[in-house]
Amino acid sequence: MDKNKKMSNRSNIEWITLIVGSAVLLTIGALMAIFPEQGVSLSKKMFSILTHEMGWIYLWIGMITLGSVIYFITSKYGRIYLGDNKPTFKKSSILFMTIAAGFGSATMYWLFMESISYYIGPPPGYAALSAEAGEIAITASFFHWGFVPWSSYLVCAVLVMYAFYIKGKKSFKFSDILNDALDNRVPVIVRKLIDIIFVVVTMGGLSVTLGLSIPMISSIISDLTGLTRSFAMDMSVIAAIAVVFIASSFVGLEKGMSRISSLNVYACIAFLLVVFLAENKVFALNYFTNGVGKYITEFFSFGFNTDPINHGGFPQGWTIFYLAYWFTFAPFTGIFIAKIAKGHRLKDILLLTMLGGGCGSMLMFMITSSYSMNLELTGKLKCVELMQTTDANNLIVQVLRTLPMAPVMMTLFAVVAILFMATSLDGSAFTLAGVTQKKLDKNGNPSTKLKMYWCVALVVFPIILTYAKADLNAIKSIAYVVSFPMVLVILISLYGTIKGMNKVFGDMTTKEIDEYNKKLINS
């Protein structure tokens, strides 16, 4: 029996996806290390084509995904229950886990320095370092981290939720969702290629997130301890993150990530509360209110701006870059949201995540952006000069040092960043295991051993890149470029999902859908 079980487990693994995906990643890393200059040059050209020549596509797709989420929330389809059992997780747990998985430690990297970046290099029509540039800075953060990017997560989640809970497919793979949307006409080789792209994009994007987060955390530790930042310190930070997320992944979502996410969100709230109490609250609230007003009036300007005449580069360097960034993480985050959504109505999950993620990001940037901007305007800290003469990590450290109980707050900031990273990696290991497995169990869980493999890979790959001194920005650009086919897969699958919903539920009234739900719950 044990021998048969082992054989069954082995035959359930998507070996081609697992081996080829891992090999492609190692090959890219090796080439970047051996030919760094050529790799950087090629990746820049590829990314320039993506953002400057094809960037308009991302802007349209961003608005399409937002419109689709609104449609699912407001239509009768939003009343559909996901699964026929009681919810696996409470709404509060879902909120905490989606925020923890969706933000990641890269959010912490941008919190204090993004508004300063926009102040120095504002959107088209604004003069650098002007009062108007300072005002629009927080609005830009609201757009880049608000409802449009979170809708990319949710569209992917809808595709997976419909396939898994409504159609009964025991798979989280987007290749299977696309195949179903096109009436099983997608060749096997194309489906394998989609799965491999998913692995490469997910691993590449997360490696870069680690590449941003590790130096930031190490810089804080260096300032606190007086030790010089070194490769050994970076590896110690990665090890700390690895211990947390591998342990969490091993015990499962219910006992692991759910509890860590709750701890993480509470710690983040505590940090933000201290920052808010320490800052000029009148300025912060005025800055926030003004930013919300501009967010409403300038929403479509941000959403469709390509700056075609002046070619200043802001839309390409920021808005389109961020959309590509979010779509890189959208498929695996969507899978994770779908996994924890069981037992709830579709619109409840969408509203919870959209409001929690979108409003939560706006609240975070309201507190931190107003704090760093006020430091600059009052002359308490020359943030602009620090950005222009040093680096982002030094700016973050210097801003944190102005807070009350600075050592405690710096430690708390680092802990929150580590927990954000750990929960993102935990969710990623889960989804990668799901994509490299043919069929999930009845509860939608992949093999624990497969999860552990990806846990190790998610730690080892960035270490190899760091040790080899491979250019993480180049790998980031490649990940974003390779993600473009996934965006096309998402759009086609979205069309197929809406068509499938119309076929099954289109003739049902709201009352009939409610009756359908009752049968599911009572079955």
Side-chain angles (χ1 to χ4, degrees):
M1 288 294 290
D2 290 341
K3 186 176 180 180
N4 291 334
K5 188 175 181 180
K6 286 182 180 179
M7 291 294 292
S8 176
N9 289 337
R10 289 175 183 172
S11 64
N12 195 32
I13 296 175
E14 293 280 8
W15 287 107
I16 293 177
T17 306
L18 184 72
I19 294 171
V20 175
S22 301
V24 169
L25 285 163
L26 290 173
T27 302
I28 291 173
L31 290 174
M32 285 295 173
I34 298 170
F35 307 104
E37 293 182 6
Q38 296 89 331
V40 170
S41 176
L42 178 61
S43 66
K44 283 183 177 178
K45 289 179 182 178
M46 293 168 63
F47 192 62
S48 178
I49 292 172
L50 180 73
T51 55
H52 286 78
E53 297 184 22
M54 302 170 64
W56 60 273
I57 299 175
Y58 274 98
L59 295 178
W60 278 104
I61 292 173
M63 289 302 179
I64 289 171
T65 55
L66 177 62
S68 299
V69 172
I70 293 172
Y71 169 74
F72 287 124
I73 291 173
T74 57
S75 70
K76 61 184 178 182
Y77 302 132
R79 303 177 71 87
I80 300 170
Y81 270 86
L82 305 168
D84 55 359
N85 294 319
K86 292 181 180 180
T88 305
F89 297 99
K90 297 184 294 184
K91 287 185 172 64
S92 59
S93 296
I94 292 174
L95 176 63
F96 290 163
M97 283 194 284
T98 52
I99 287 176
F103 278 132
S105 57
T107 311
M108 306 296 288
Y109 175 82
W110 292 106
L111 280 180
F112 287 106
M113 49 88 70
E114 186 167 311
S115 60
I116 301 300
S117 298
Y118 298 146
Y119 186 44
I120 297 170
Y126 296 88
L129 303 177
S130 65
E132 293 77 14
E135 289 181 0
I136 202 66
I138 191 172
T139 303
S141 292
F142 288 170
F143 187 86
H144 293 151
W145 293 86
F147 300 119
V148 172
W150 277 88
S151 67
S152 67
Y153 285 176
L154 289 173
V155 160
C156 291
V158 169
L159 303 181
V160 181
M161 288 188 289
Y162 183 75
F164 191 84
Y165 296 115
I166 308 302
K167 301 202 73 173
K169 306 289 184 181
K170 294 301 177 185
S171 169
F172 285 148
K173 294 193 286 286
F174 278 86
S175 58
D176 290 340
I177 295 171
L178 177 67
N179 188 45
D180 188 62
L182 296 178
D183 300 321
N184 299 315
R185 290 179 293 179
V186 180
V188 174
I189 190 170
V190 175
R191 280 182 271 159
K192 295 293 183 187
L193 182 60
I194 291 170
D195 293 337
I196 291 168
I197 289 173
F198 178 93
V199 171
V200 172
V201 169
T202 300
M203 288 287 289
L206 285 165
S207 295
V208 174
T209 299
L210 275 169
L212 285 176
S213 305
I214 301 307
M216 175 186 71
I217 296 168
S218 292
S219 296
I220 294 171
I221 294 173
S222 176
D223 189 81
L224 284 170
T225 61
L227 299 173
T228 303
R229 188 190 152 208
S230 62
F231 178 75
M233 184 181 289
D234 287 354
M235 292 306 98
S236 298
V237 173
I238 292 178
I241 294 171
V243 168
V244 175
F245 96 86
I246 290 176
S248 172
S249 185
F250 183 78
V251 300
L253 296 179
E254 291 84 355
K255 296 179 180 179
M257 187 173 176
S258 177
R259 295 175 182 176
I260 293 175
S261 298
S262 297
L263 173 64
N264 190 15
V265 172
Y266 287 133
C268 186
I269 290 172
F271 174 82
L272 293 171
L273 182 61
V274 173
V275 175
F276 180 70
L277 293 174
E279 69 182 334
N280 183 331
K281 286 172 278 297
V282 174
F283 174 79
L285 293 171
N286 281 329
Y287 196 45
F288 170 73
T289 302
N290 193 71
V292 170
K294 287 184 177 294
Y295 179 67
I296 295 170
T297 59
E298 302 293 327
F299 182 83
F300 290 105
S301 177
F302 267 104
F304 289 107
N305 194 340
T306 60
D307 196 17
I309 307 299
N310 290 323
H311 302 290
F314 183 91
Q316 291 76 22
W318 286 105
T319 307
I320 295 168
F321 159 79
Y322 264 130
L323 286 170
Y325 172 88
W326 286 82
F327 271 109
T328 300
F329 291 90
F332 78 79
T333 308
I335 291 173
F336 178 74
I337 293 171
K339 171 62 181 75
I340 62 178
K342 182 181 180 182
H344 295 277
R345 291 190 304 178
L346 178 60
K347 72 174 182 180
D348 291 340
I349 295 298
L350 298 182
L351 278 171
L352 195 67
T353 305
M354 181 67 90
L355 294 177
C359 295
S361 64
M362 292 173 73
L363 178 63
M364 290 174 74
F365 278 94
M366 166 255 183
I367 293 172
T368 55
S369 294
S370 58
Y371 186 81
S372 55
M373 185 61 71
N374 192 54
L375 288 176
E376 168 64 27
L377 296 176
T378 58
K380 293 179 181 178
L381 184 68
K382 295 181 179 179
C383 297
V384 170
E385 183 178 319
L386 285 169
M387 276 289 292
Q388 293 175 331
T389 59
T390 59
D391 59 28
N393 292 319
N394 185 44
L395 171 62
I396 294 167
V397 169
Q398 296 305 319
V399 170
L400 291 173
R401 290 181 69 179
T402 67
L403 291 169
M405 305 177 295
V408 175
M409 292 298 289
M410 293 171 77
T411 303
L412 183 58
F413 183 90
V415 168
V416 171
I418 287 172
L419 292 178
F420 265 134
M421 191 74 254
T423 48
S424 293
L425 291 170
D426 190 357
S428 304
F430 179 91
T431 55
L432 285 166
V435 168
T436 49
Q437 186 167 315
K438 292 178 182 178
K439 286 187 179 180
L440 306 171
D441 66 19
K442 63 180 181 179
N443 295 316
N445 293 314
S447 161
T448 300
K449 290 182 180 179
L450 207 50
K451 281 196 298 179
M452 290 301 102
Y453 168 83
W454 285 114
C455 282
V456 173
L458 285 165
V459 174
V460 172
F461 185 59
I463 291 175
I464 293 173
L465 295 178
T466 304
Y467 183 76
K469 297 182 179 179
D471 191 297
L472 289 173
N473 285 323
I475 293 172
K476 171 191 70 178
S477 299
I478 291 173
Y480 292 167
V481 171
V482 174
S483 73
F484 188 74
M486 285 301 301
V487 175
L488 299 180
V489 169
I490 291 166
L491 287 178
I492 297 171
S493 301
L494 176 62
Y495 169 77
T497 297
I498 293 175
K499 188 172 73 171
M501 281 186 176
N502 284 331
K503 187 175 181 180
V504 176
F505 300 101
D507 294 332
M508 289 188 185
T509 63
T510 301
K511 186 176 180 181
E512 287 172 333
I513 289 178
D514 289 341
E515 290 297 322
Y516 168 87
N517 290 333
K518 288 180 182 178
K519 290 179 182 178
L520 281 178
I521 296 170
N522 295 326
S523 63

